[in-house]
Amino acid sequence: AQSVTQLDSQVPVFEEAPVELRCNYSSSVSVYLFWYVQYPNQGLQLLLKYLSGSTLVKGINGFEAEFNKSQTSFHLRKPSVHISDTAEYFCAVSEVGNQFYFGTGTSLTVIP
Amino acid sequence: DVKVTQSSRYLVKRTGEKVFLECVQDMDHENMFWYRQDPGLGLRLIYFSYDVKMKEKGDIPEGYSVSREKKERFSLILESASTNQTSMYLCASSFGGITTYTFGSGTRLTVV
């Protein structure tokens, strides 16, 4: 089974500063990679996904992520964060078949 | 847009009660999933289903059962609720193959 590691459980950042949320996974076989965002008291929404092709993936709300196969990483970035980006962010990995494996989440807090 | 609807946002039940959490999706998805979300533990898969009347155990099925009598509905059942089942419960659905999950808004269950 896969394991997904989000190294930072909490990330505080000032408004308009850049942010990177880190995600590493265990398997070196073909994988599909996802980032989800969860706003307070809501379900998870898809931010972006990597299935194949370009390793740099752009998502909603100005977020992007880069797939690095050699480092088994899929870090999420945003060049300038807003207050509204305060949320929980989950990295997820899927192999052949349908089951997703989720990381434990990173709580992003944007400070005015 | 696909909608995944969970019948209750907040639920309070007493220890020992039988609890039903309902999830309905409106896009003819084959696959449906139940997760629980706890701080520091991320999302953990309880049960999933790839078709009507089919069910598979996830990582933490103990104390839970499920029912899928119709394709659009996937119910999670707590046979005898206990305080350690206090959690956020998230339902998700997807088409077959490697596709994106769509999540419901979640049910926050408190067992007292």
Side-chain angles (χ1 to χ4, degrees), chain A residues 89-103:
Chain A
Y89 291 81
F90 291 93
C91 180
V93 176
S94 174
E95 294 174 348
V96 175
N98 263 306
Q99 190 174 340
F100 277 37
Y101 297 89
F102 286 89

Side-chain angles (χ1 to χ4, degrees), chain A residues 65-82:
Chain A
E66 185 154 21
F67 169 52
N68 188 319
K69 188 174 181 179
S70 62
Q71 297 187 4
T72 60
S73 69
F74 191 55
H75 300 332
L76 181 71
R77 301 185 184 101
K78 186 169 182 178
S80 174
V81 294
H82 302 289

Side-chain angles (χ1 to χ4, degrees), chain A residues 32 34 36 38 41-44 46 49 51 90 94-100 102-104, chain B residues 9-10 31 35 37 40-43 45 50 90 95-101 103-105:
Chain A
Y32 305 90
F34 305 80
Y36 282 83
Q38 184 182 34
N41 296 314
Q42 295 187 26
L44 276 68
L46 180 68
K49 61 185 176 184
L51 302 182
F90 291 93
S94 174
E95 294 174 348
V96 175
N98 263 306
Q99 190 174 340
F100 277 37
F102 286 89
T104 52
Chain B
R9 290 298 301 276
Y10 300 95
N31 308 322
Y35 287 87
Q37 181 184 9
L41 298 177
L43 277 71
L45 182 63
Y50 287 155
L90 292 165
F95 282 116
I98 305 300
T99 59
T100 308
Y101 283 17
F103 282 87
S105 299

Side-chain angles (χ1 to χ4, degrees), chain B residues 8-111:
Chain B
S8 305
R9 290 298 301 276
Y10 300 95
L11 213 52
V12 181
K13 295 292 182 181
R14 295 196 182 278
T15 301
E17 277 192 77
K18 190 169 186 175
V19 181
F20 292 85
L21 302 184
E22 304 288 346
C23 176
V24 177
Q25 50 94 3
D26 65 359
M27 281 298 288
D28 205 34
H29 281 176
E30 290 90 352
N31 308 322
M32 297 188 76
F33 307 83
W34 274 107
Y35 287 87
R36 66 175 281 176
Q37 181 184 9
D38 300 287
L41 298 177
L43 277 71
R44 294 180 290 168
L45 182 63
I46 305 171
Y47 267 97
F48 59 103
S49 169
Y50 287 155
D51 203 350
V52 176
K53 296 194 186 296
M54 282 186 59
K55 59 185 179 183
E56 298 284 344
K57 292 181 180 179
D59 300 318
I60 52 162
E62 296 79 19
Y64 304 93
S65 62
V66 290
S67 172
R68 193 161 181 206
E69 296 296 318
K70 294 185 177 181
K71 192 173 186 178
E72 67 270 19
R73 184 181 296 271
F74 192 36
S75 304
L76 180 70
I77 304 157
L78 286 66
E79 296 290 342
S80 177
S82 64
T83 55
N84 63 11
Q85 292 178 311
T86 291
S87 186
M88 169 73 98
Y89 290 87
L90 292 165
C91 175
S93 71
S94 73
F95 282 116
I98 305 300
T99 59
T100 308
Y101 283 17
T102 300
F103 282 87
S105 299
T107 296
R108 187 168 294 281
L109 172 67
T110 302
V111 182

